[in-house]
Amino acid sequence: YWGLGSGDYSRFGRNFWELSIISKDWVKQLSTVINTTYYGGREHILYWQDGKGDLVNHPGSYVRGLPVWGKHGVIVSQMRHLPVSIYTGECWDTNSSPIIPDKPDHLAAIWCFCSSPDFNKAVREIDQKLNVTNATLVKVPFDLEYWQKVASEKYPNGLPKPYSDDPTQWLFHGHPAKSTNPLQVAVARLLGYKWPAETDKDMKLSDEARLWIAKCEDMIASTETSGIVCIPSVLGKEPASDRLINLLAKAYGTDWSSSKLDEILNPVNNNSSNIEEWLRNKFFIQHCKLFYDRPFIWHIWDGLVDGFAALVNYHKLDKKLLETLIYTHLADWISKQKTNKANNVEGSDEKIVAAQNLKTSLELILKGEKPYDIFVRWKSIKQQPIGWEPDINDGVRLNIRPFMTAPDVKTRGAGVLRDKPKIEWKSDRGKDTE
């Protein structure tokens, strides 16, 4: 089957982590995988609005595949060596195609065939194009009896139930200790983020996934409900490094030790076990890379390696929280530096100037005059936000722009963010909008 084409993916498509909860207006959307895996390609969601909204009426959209939604099969990435994943009834994009069995009990046999090198070889004998036509995928010979025998030997209890240790998948259970990237997951949890598998009670998951989700409850007390965690000590709270270590200790339980910290930190921090150094200099760069330059934990700083820096949960960053960041957290930091200056502490002058410049930049975002505003090309002028009033549905790509364009005293090209995500806006300034 051929996938749905939105005609304007910047408008209708998101990565699931751009929203705190996948609301009823959105549907999960499958896409390609790089290599064959049981459950992959589960990063995206689509603004479907129950099939009654803007997408179906958009002149460039092609609504296809609805009769297949809810069925099970094998979804093929139509590029390179045709890697596959298990299809569980979601919407899918035009770069992938699900094969749906006429008889559901043939699914395991079809999976065994499609996940083997034999499938790619058979398809390539018919179609050598890089992007294989979806209809070609089922034109190949298929020895049902042979592959049923393979399936019965390899999967005597049926195919594996939905499960993933990858935090970029909505199936991910949310536990750092059982993750492909424990530090990134731990920081997200520290800031109060939860994965869709944790909040969607109806999601079909394996028993193992449910077990790890239940274990996540042990870390709730260590999370920051306000959505702000400062890297240095501010307002009498522990620095972010101490709070992160405490959360990791709860997550790993009896397995936690200094050597365990080294084991997970050294590979991402140039063999250094200094967790504050990683938070200040590496976390946000790696966060942007892992989450496809749509970061949901923002690292806001004043440009000094030992200055003010805060990690902020994007989903909670409304006007009130931005004011709290400026006039409570940053204000406390500035007050401390003025006290240090009075006590002749070296470097306090530079920290005061940097923090006050950051305050000025954040106030420009708060006010939201051009070019520090949010402009959404598919909304009318009356619907445009005035000041910092982001609509979470518009996604990170649009809402992060003021933080990337605000004045940057260190001229690092990332505004008030620690690094510059690879984001383009093109016509989003309104070139095609009256």
Side-chain angles (χ1 to χ4, degrees):
Y1 292 89
W2 197 4
L4 185 150
S6 68
D8 188 351
Y9 203 79
S10 295
R11 176 177 178 180
F12 298 114
R14 302 283 180 273
N15 294 113
F16 71 81
W17 53 81
E18 296 185 64
L19 276 66
S20 55
I21 294 178
I22 303 175
S23 70
K24 62 181 181 180
D25 284 335
W26 297 82
V27 293
K28 300 180 184 72
Q29 183 186 38
L30 293 187
S31 188
T32 57
V33 293
I34 296 175
N35 296 301
T36 291
T37 182
Y38 290 122
Y39 294 97
R42 288 161 162 82
E43 305 94 347
H44 304 283
I45 54 177
L46 196 71
Y47 195 49
W48 178 240
Q49 296 177 287
D50 199 28
K52 303 172 183 176
D54 294 338
L55 189 155
V56 294
N57 297 311
H58 187 70
S61 68
Y62 292 90
V63 178
R64 297 180 290 247
L66 271 63
V68 177
W69 293 11
K71 297 186 178 182
H72 289 70
V74 176
I75 189 161
V76 184
S77 300
Q78 295 170 246
M79 303 288 282
R80 303 182 184 91
H81 54 286
L82 307 179
V84 298
S85 186
I86 297 175
Y87 176 70
T88 47
E90 298 83 0
C91 166
W92 70 94
D93 66 15
T94 55
N95 296 315
S96 56
S97 179
I99 295 172
I100 309 299
D102 291 328
K103 296 182 179 181
D105 59 357
H106 291 170
L107 176 56
I110 293 174
W111 167 260
C112 287
F113 174 50
C114 292
S115 60
S116 75
D118 298 36
F119 177 66
N120 178 50
K121 181 180 178 181
V123 172
R124 291 304 181 185
E125 288 179 356
I126 301 173
D127 191 340
Q128 291 79 40
K129 291 187 300 182
L130 179 63
N131 187 7
V132 176
T133 305
N134 59 299
T136 305
L137 300 175
V138 289
K139 290 181 178 179
V140 295
F142 176 57
D143 187 340
L144 176 61
E145 184 177 351
Y146 170 78
W147 291 105
Q148 280 181 319
K149 182 180 179 181
V150 172
S152 65
E153 294 174 354
K154 192 171 183 179
Y155 304 106
N157 299 315
L159 292 175
K161 297 286 176 41
Y163 177 90
S164 178
D165 291 329
D166 183 347
T168 66
Q169 305 297 297
W170 67 65
L171 293 171
F172 177 59
H173 45 70
H175 203 286
K178 189 64 174 174
S179 165
T180 56
N181 206 314
L183 283 174
Q184 288 290 335
V185 174
V187 172
R189 295 216 69 95
L190 181 63
L191 271 294
Y193 179 73
K194 291 185 177 182
W195 269 260
E198 300 179 74
T199 57
D200 185 350
K201 303 301 181 184
D202 297 324
M203 188 181 292
K204 294 179 180 179
L205 296 168
S206 68
D207 292 341
E208 184 182 4
R210 290 293 177 197
L211 178 63
W212 283 108
I213 289 172
K215 289 183 178 181
C216 288
E217 294 298 319
D218 297 336
M219 294 178 287
I220 296 299
S222 301
T223 60
E224 179 53 68
T225 56
S226 74
I228 299 175
V229 172
C230 294
I231 293 181
S233 176
V234 173
L235 298 174
K237 293 188 176 182
E238 292 179 309
S241 57
D242 290 352
R243 298 171 71 178
L244 183 59
I245 288 174
N246 290 337
L247 186 146
L248 286 165
K250 285 188 176 182
Y252 281 90
T254 56
D255 292 333
W256 183 248
S257 63
S258 58
S259 60
K260 175 61 72 173
L261 177 60
D262 292 342
E263 177 187 322
I264 62 177
L265 181 59
N266 287 353
V268 296
N269 198 41
N270 296 334
N271 291 322
S272 170
S273 58
N274 187 328
I275 199 163
E276 180 172 349
E277 177 188 47
W278 176 76
L279 282 169
R280 282 188 175 274
N281 302 320
K282 304 287 178 58
F283 160 73
F284 190 62
I285 296 170
Q286 294 169 7
H287 182 74
C288 291
K289 183 177 181 180
L290 177 63
F291 291 102
Y292 305 150
D293 290 298
R294 298 294 184 267
F296 62 93
I297 304 298
W298 293 0
H299 181 166
I300 298 169
W301 74 323
D302 62 9
L304 300 180
V305 294
D306 59 348
F308 179 82
L311 303 176
V312 181
N313 185 336
Y314 156 73
H315 302 118
K316 299 183 178 183
L317 188 55
D318 56 10
K319 181 179 181 181
K320 182 178 179 181
L321 191 68
L322 182 54
E323 290 176 336
T324 300
L325 177 65
I326 299 170
Y327 301 115
T328 303
H329 294 78
L330 183 55
D332 181 71
W333 173 262
I334 292 173
S335 177
K336 282 185 178 181
Q337 302 317 309
K338 289 181 177 179
T339 300
N340 288 343
K341 179 180 179 180
N343 294 326
N344 297 316
V345 175
E346 186 177 356
S348 53
D349 272 332
E350 185 182 17
K351 290 179 180 177
I352 291 170
V353 172
Q356 288 178 333
N357 285 333
L358 174 62
K359 179 174 180 285
T360 299
S361 296
L362 293 176
E363 286 175 331
L364 288 171
I365 296 171
L366 191 65
K367 187 177 180 181
E369 296 290 341
K370 184 179 178 180
Y372 315 118
D373 61 336
I374 301 169
F375 188 88
V376 186
R377 60 179 167 81
W378 53 83
K379 292 184 175 180
S380 67
I381 294 297
K382 290 182 180 180
Q383 293 175 304
Q384 301 297 332
I386 299 175
W388 180 250
E389 295 285 357
D391 180 348
I392 203 77
N393 281 326
D394 292 333
V396 169
R397 190 179 69 88
L398 290 185
N399 290 330
I400 202 171
R401 186 172 184 173
F403 286 79
M404 291 176 62
T405 55
D408 174 17
V409 295
K410 291 295 179 180
T411 62
R412 295 176 186 268
V416 299
L417 298 176
R418 180 61 181 84
D419 194 57
K420 188 176 183 180
K422 296 179 178 64
I423 295 175
E424 293 183 351
W425 293 283
K426 296 182 179 178
S427 63
D428 288 295
R429 181 65 265 171
K431 294 177 180 178
D432 58 348
T433 305
E434 291 295 332

